[in-house]
Amino acid sequence: MRHCINCCIHLLPNDLHRQCFRCRGPDHNNQKCPVCRGENKIPLYTDSKQMKWLAVLEVRTDHCESWNGFFCLRKGKLCSLMFGLIIMTLVMVSYILTGAKHGLLLIPSPFHYGAFASNPSLMDNESLSDMKDYYQPSKMNISYVRDYPSIKLIIDTITSKIEFITRQRPDLEELRKQEPHMFSVIPNKFLPNSKNPCWYEEYRGNTTADPYATNSYALYSKRFRIIFDYLRKVFWNHLYHYKDKHYRLRCLPHFYIIGQPKCGTTDLYDRLRLHPDVRFSAIKEPHWWTRKRFGIIRLRDGFHDRYPVEDYLDLFDLAAHQIQSVLQSDAVKEHGKRNNIIIGEASASTMWDNNAWVFFYDNSTEGEPPFLIQDFIHAFQPNAKLIIMLRDPVERLYSDYLYFASANKSAEDFHEKVAESLQLFEGCVLDFSLRACVYNNTLNNAMPVRLQVGLYVVYLLDWLTVFNKDQILVLRLEDHASNMRYTMHMVFQFLDLGPLSEKQEALITKSPASNTRRPEDRSLGPMLPTTKAILRDFYRPFNTKLAQVLFDDAFLWKRT
């Protein structure tokens, strides 16, 4: 008897289907059909000849008609599909867990820094790693998915804690105790015939020795070695000989561009150095007052040997050589004319970065630094001039983020970092003064973005405790960008610089802007509107106070 195995292989010709249960229609008898009676072995005929017993085909007689034509998967394919799904699930779980841990996800992370620990002992001279243990993930998460109302509550708390309290200025003797070497090197009087603060210092070194052999700037940075190679070549030509002794001219800056970062200080520096009477340090931003004198190159790398004040003074040797040439000229000697060359320094950290104090200065009062950078600058240079370039703090923060962030930059990521930083700042001001939080090293290193740099008025008020208001020129980047000629004239007048020819002025004012936003950062677009609204609310009380101090409503930044 011939039987069809159509349900399995569909290979028999149509003339063999006369006795097939699938082809006979409704008259098919299940009792007589060997397939329906449960026989599992069906002899296969080809060309009416029965095959050998080895050619018996094992087939299953499961009926597929109950599935109404649904495609039946074999076991092998089904197992492969299930195995693939399991692997895909494991990969996705691994990605989510790893991304959440390292901050690589493009979706919100549930982990945020906790509040600032209300423990005054944190302000003692502890290590940075120990103090960071106080920052643990908080149970309360801040949603950064445009959740303006919840973040606004944090800003309201911060605003309610703002108090602008005048700091107590330390006396000179306290400063001497903290930095005795510095006071032994820098005199309290300078040459009368030089506009720039300069003095002669006896050089006791061997004439065959390298005068810059131990300079830390030359040792730790390859970029500056070319500069010091040149200084070595010309050093001996600029020594002043008097009564069998050698003297070198030492100078400090006449003016400082003290801040703020991402506010146009580089552009101002590049234009000012084109003036014939202006010289700058060999390095644009030595960061000596704020970092290098404490041995800080990068805080995350720990501390190095402290850079002595002599290393800082070496950076002004090129300018000192030119000033000395003028002082030794016949015109100055015979007619008593004054040298008009002035030296500038443009470290954008000088205004705000006092983070290192906690590692070096004791006697802290409620977490506030007992000494600030301006205390020491004023002790040596009470007549120094200071230039500050500011910018809308909201835009400054976004520019700062784009410049310093290394990976996964986006408007959404910026929003998340702003929310986390606000939560940390709120935790601090609940337990400490505004000044203690602004100058707190642990807090500033824990915040994902540098919110504190935009609190301009806090820093300005502290500088005004030691310097007179007419010694500080405050500019806005927005004004500088829209009318560069006007702002440069303000700077020239402030520094008492002589008039320029039209050609010199055109060279200074018409050159392209420096240190603009990188193309790849520009392509990311602006910050989210919600982020901007949050930051506007945060900075508003500080901008209001700044406008009051400077008597200029432009510093409210309402139109930007």
Side-chain angles (χ1 to χ4, degrees), residues 539-556:
Y539 285 118
R540 183 174 293 112
F542 300 98
N543 293 343
T544 301
K545 182 65 174 180
L546 179 65
Q548 293 172 357
V549 172
L550 297 175
F551 300 102
D552 189 348
D553 286 345
F555 289 94
L556 294 171

Side-chain angles (χ1 to χ4, degrees), residues 77-121:
K77 292 183 178 179
L78 183 60
C79 290
S80 299
L81 178 61
M82 294 300 295
F83 181 75
L85 290 173
I86 292 172
I87 294 297
M88 185 182 300
T89 303
L90 291 174
V91 170
M92 291 180 66
V93 170
S94 175
Y95 166 75
I96 293 171
L97 293 177
T98 305
K101 180 179 179 181
H102 297 286
L104 301 177
L105 289 178
L106 297 180
I107 59 175
S109 169
F111 300 105
H112 295 269
Y113 287 105
F116 188 81
S118 57
N119 188 348
S121 65

Side-chain angles (χ1 to χ4, degrees), residues 179-402:
E179 300 288 351
H181 178 69
M182 197 189 308
F183 279 89
S184 69
V185 173
I186 302 176
N188 54 11
K189 291 184 179 180
F190 305 115
L191 295 176
N193 55 347
S194 176
K195 185 177 179 180
N196 200 86
C198 298
W199 68 98
Y200 280 106
E201 173 188 276
E202 184 180 352
Y203 181 74
R204 297 184 176 87
N206 192 311
T207 55
T208 60
D210 178 5
Y212 303 104
T214 60
N215 186 286
S216 301
Y217 286 99
L219 293 174
Y220 288 116
S221 179
K222 295 180 180 179
R223 291 186 302 159
F224 308 137
R225 290 178 184 173
I226 296 176
I227 297 173
F228 284 101
D229 285 342
Y230 174 77
L231 287 172
R232 290 184 185 96
K233 293 178 182 179
V234 301
F235 179 80
W236 300 106
N237 298 331
H238 292 280
L239 287 180
Y240 177 62
H241 305 280
Y242 181 73
K243 292 183 179 182
D244 298 328
K245 291 183 179 181
H246 299 289
Y247 296 89
R248 66 189 295 189
L249 188 67
R250 288 293 208 178
C251 296
L252 281 169
H254 172 70
F255 70 95
Y256 296 84
I257 301 175
I258 63 174
Q260 290 287 63
K262 309 314 297 175
C263 289
T265 56
T266 300
D267 187 75
L268 180 60
Y269 160 84
D270 285 337
R271 296 181 193 283
L272 260 180
R273 65 178 181 164
L274 296 176
H275 195 286
D277 291 338
V278 176
R279 303 292 184 271
F280 275 94
S281 54
I283 302 166
K284 175 190 176 280
E285 294 188 272
H287 297 296
W288 185 80
W289 291 102
T290 55
R291 300 168 189 173
K292 299 299 192 296
R293 70 187 180 100
F294 299 108
I296 298 173
I297 297 177
R298 298 180 188 87
L299 193 57
R300 64 176 178 270
D301 297 335
F303 291 91
H304 297 262
D305 293 334
R306 299 181 69 173
Y307 288 30
V309 65
E310 291 88 345
D311 290 1
Y312 179 61
L313 296 175
D314 286 347
L315 300 180
F316 306 104
D317 276 2
L318 276 176
H321 293 166
Q322 297 180 44
I323 291 175
Q324 183 180 356
S325 298
V326 175
L327 293 175
Q328 297 300 316
S329 66
D330 295 336
V332 174
K333 287 181 178 180
E334 295 177 5
H335 304 288
K337 290 186 178 180
R338 195 183 188 197
N339 163 64
N340 289 320
I341 293 177
I342 59 173
I343 303 175
E345 201 252 69
S347 298
S349 64
T350 307
M351 180 178 180
W352 64 275
D353 191 353
N354 281 275
N355 289 332
W357 73 267
V358 70
F359 300 103
F360 295 92
Y361 300 142
D362 298 326
N363 303 321
S364 170
T365 304
E366 296 182 352
E368 295 186 9
F371 311 104
L372 296 177
I373 302 304
Q374 50 267 39
D375 298 329
F376 293 98
I377 294 179
H378 183 269
F380 300 114
Q381 299 176 260
N383 299 318
K385 295 198 172 185
L386 311 168
I387 300 176
I388 302 171
M389 181 82 85
L390 301 180
R391 174 187 189 179
D392 179 358
V394 176
E395 297 298 334
R396 193 220 69 82
L397 186 64
Y398 190 51
S399 180
D400 196 70
Y401 162 79
L402 294 177

